[in-house]
Amino acid sequence: MRDETKMDVYTSGVIGAEYDAGMKQLMSNKEILIPILQMTVPEFKTCSQEEILQCLDISSITKDDFVSDIPDIEKDLRLTKEDSELSSFVEKLVRFDIRFKIINPKLSTEKIRVNLHIDMEAQKSYRPSNPSYPILKRAVYYVARDLSSQLSMITQTTDYSKLEKCYSIWICAENVPKKLQNTLTEYSFSKKDIIGIADEPEEDYDLLTVVIIRQGKETEESGIFDYLKGLFTSDINRIQKYSHIKWSEPFKKEAGKMTGFGDMIYERGIRTGEQSGIQKGIQKGIQQGRHEGMILGALMSGKTPEEVSKMLNLPLEEIKKVQEQQMTVNK
């Protein structure tokens, strides 16, 4: 990957809104989605990533963009939001982050295709404000709306047998209570016999599942949290450990532009009172070049040259050179 592309990784997400758009853009690519599906959706736990890729609905792949200044790439790289907005005359507008269909390998046959409907939400804060509410309740509402959207106006001839299972997967990155950090929880609709035993097919009632992924400050060295840490800290090598599908050159450029390292520095700066220093570093970086600017911004946030070298995957000598240049300028 070219140095210029690597630097895009670290400069893309300094402002919160740009970060949100960038993460949605990144996560709408199959190279990023498939490892998440493999690690969170039971229907795919025994599937290889290539098998999951074969389950993707070709008709759901498009070059549609999120609202941002990010250019389009090859149309076979990004999943459409199927319909990213749902509205009705009596219900609240729902705007999904990423929404798509994929074949359910457990129920489909050569002659019969059964889909899973998946909504994936990149939720920055686990504790929303203005107004405050439980993320779990919102997730349940979203998955219920996703299910109801499969049927048009309800009439006497409505065919409820056509309903297919829906997943709503929420990835929560910030403000997670300590006791909930590094937890992955599945909430599903299940059967409980009270009197007698009702022998009904599971696929007739197993239609709604919510998955909540709550990240923590310290993460395991393998698995879903390690993978997500790679996404949120723009660690390309870490991401590639889990994404086994061959990355095309256009997608490598996409990944370089979308990951959120800059935003993570920005957030940490706010929390530690170093925002001013980081912003000055970024402004000076604009004058000195993006490459040196992000090194300088990281150094001014209080990190050592060794930490910056590891974080940006750049030679320690290069980091020290920028540091020495800045010390000379400040004399």
Side-chain angles (χ1 to χ4, degrees), residues 55-101:
C55 288
L56 285 175
D57 185 353
I58 299 300
S59 66
S60 74
I61 298 177
T62 183
K63 63 180 181 180
D64 286 350
D65 262 331
F66 292 94
V67 180
S68 71
D69 295 328
I70 301 160
D72 290 337
I73 60 172
E74 291 179 348
K75 67 179 180 180
D76 66 335
L77 292 180
R78 186 173 299 122
L79 296 173
T80 181
K81 279 65 70 183
E82 195 185 357
D83 233 343
S84 61
E85 294 185 358
L86 293 180
S87 62
S88 72
F89 290 114
V90 294
E91 294 183 285
K92 179 180 175 64
L93 173 72
V94 172
R95 181 174 289 109
F96 296 100
D97 278 1
I98 304 164
R99 187 168 175 249
F100 58 95
K101 292 188 294 186

Side-chain angles (χ1 to χ4, degrees), residues 224-239:
I224 183 66
F225 298 106
D226 187 51
Y227 175 63
L228 292 175
K229 182 177 180 180
L231 293 184
F232 281 83
T233 60
S234 67
D235 188 334
I236 301 298
N237 292 331
R238 191 188 298 257
I239 296 170

Side-chain angles (χ1 to χ4, degrees), residues 308-320:
V308 176
S309 174
K310 183 177 180 180
M311 185 179 301
L312 301 184
N313 194 25
L314 292 172
L316 179 60
E317 295 76 16
E318 186 171 355
I319 307 300
K320 289 184 175 180

Side-chain angles (χ1 to χ4, degrees), residues 202-252:
E202 184 179 11
E203 59 265 27
D204 286 350
Y205 59 83
D206 182 24
L207 294 175
L208 302 170
T209 295
V210 168
V211 175
I212 306 290
I213 305 169
R214 308 172 189 87
Q215 293 179 255
K217 295 180 180 179
E218 301 296 330
T219 62
E220 301 289 336
E221 293 184 358
S222 62
I224 183 66
F225 298 106
D226 187 51
Y227 175 63
L228 292 175
K229 182 177 180 180
L231 293 184
F232 281 83
T233 60
S234 67
D235 188 334
I236 301 298
N237 292 331
R238 191 188 298 257
I239 296 170
Q240 288 177 324
K241 282 198 313 182
Y242 296 92
S243 181
H244 304 147
I245 298 171
K246 183 179 179 181
W247 287 19
S248 67
E249 286 302 320
F251 176 70
K252 287 182 181 179

Side-chain angles (χ1 to χ4, degrees), residues 118-161:
I118 297 181
D119 154 46
M120 192 169 294
E121 303 287 330
Q123 180 70 26
K124 192 171 184 182
S125 175
Y126 188 70
R127 290 175 165 174
S129 57
N130 298 321
S132 61
Y133 57 86
I135 283 292
L136 181 55
K137 285 190 174 183
R138 181 179 173 188
V140 171
Y141 179 76
Y142 271 44
V143 76
R145 287 292 301 275
D146 204 1
L147 182 67
S148 70
S149 72
Q150 295 177 36
L151 300 177
S152 56
M153 185 178 295
I154 303 300
T155 69
Q156 291 183 343
T157 60
T158 296
D159 187 355
Y160 292 97
S161 68

Side-chain angles (χ1 to χ4, degrees), residues 102-304:
I102 187 168
I103 292 174
N104 184 336
K106 287 190 173 182
L107 300 181
S108 297
T109 66
E110 291 184 1
K111 296 183 179 180
I112 301 175
R113 174 185 177 127
V114 180
N115 291 310
L116 293 172
H117 298 249
I118 297 181
D119 154 46
M120 192 169 294
E121 303 287 330
Q123 180 70 26
K124 192 171 184 182
S125 175
Y126 188 70
R127 290 175 165 174
S129 57
N130 298 321
S132 61
Y133 57 86
I135 283 292
L136 181 55
K137 285 190 174 183
R138 181 179 173 188
V140 171
Y141 179 76
Y142 271 44
V143 76
R145 287 292 301 275
D146 204 1
L147 182 67
S148 70
S149 72
Q150 295 177 36
L151 300 177
S152 56
M153 185 178 295
I154 303 300
T155 69
Q156 291 183 343
T157 60
T158 296
D159 187 355
Y160 292 97
S161 68
K162 295 186 180 298
L163 288 172
E164 297 174 320
K165 185 174 181 178
C166 298
Y167 274 91
S168 190
I169 302 171
W170 292 66
I171 301 171
C172 304
E174 300 280 346
N175 301 322
V176 178
K178 188 176 181 64
K179 65 180 180 179
L180 295 178
Q181 290 180 14
N182 295 320
T183 59
L184 187 157
T185 311
E186 177 184 305
Y187 304 86
S188 58
F189 197 94
S190 62
K191 178 174 76 75
K192 180 180 180 181
D193 289 311
I194 306 300
I195 300 177
I197 298 176
D199 187 15
E200 298 283 359
E202 184 179 11
E203 59 265 27
D204 286 350
Y205 59 83
D206 182 24
L207 294 175
L208 302 170
T209 295
V210 168
V211 175
I212 306 290
I213 305 169
R214 308 172 189 87
Q215 293 179 255
K217 295 180 180 179
E218 301 296 330
T219 62
E220 301 289 336
E221 293 184 358
S222 62
I224 183 66
F225 298 106
D226 187 51
Y227 175 63
L228 292 175
K229 182 177 180 180
L231 293 184
F232 281 83
T233 60
S234 67
D235 188 334
I236 301 298
N237 292 331
R238 191 188 298 257
I239 296 170
Q240 288 177 324
K241 282 198 313 182
Y242 296 92
S243 181
H244 304 147
I245 298 171
K246 183 179 179 181
W247 287 19
S248 67
E249 286 302 320
F251 176 70
K252 287 182 181 179
K253 294 179 182 178
E254 177 87 346
K257 291 179 180 179
M258 291 307 124
T259 38
F261 174 83
D263 187 77
M264 296 296 284
I265 289 181
Y266 180 76
E267 290 295 326
R268 289 170 188 156
I270 293 176
R271 291 195 295 267
T272 60
E274 296 168 348
Q275 179 182 2
S276 176
I278 296 172
Q279 293 295 344
K280 289 179 181 178
I282 293 172
Q283 290 300 321
K284 291 180 180 179
I286 293 173
Q287 299 170 2
Q288 298 175 13
R290 287 188 298 176
H291 195 148
E292 293 81 1
M294 287 312 299
I295 293 173
L296 182 58
L299 288 170
M300 295 186 72
S301 72
K303 296 190 178 299
T304 66

Side-chain angles (χ1 to χ4, degrees), residues 41-55:
V41 177
E43 283 83 353
F44 297 122
K45 289 250 175 112
T46 60
C47 297
S48 69
Q49 291 192 10
E50 286 298 328
E51 289 172 332
I52 299 174
L53 178 60
Q54 293 303 313
C55 288

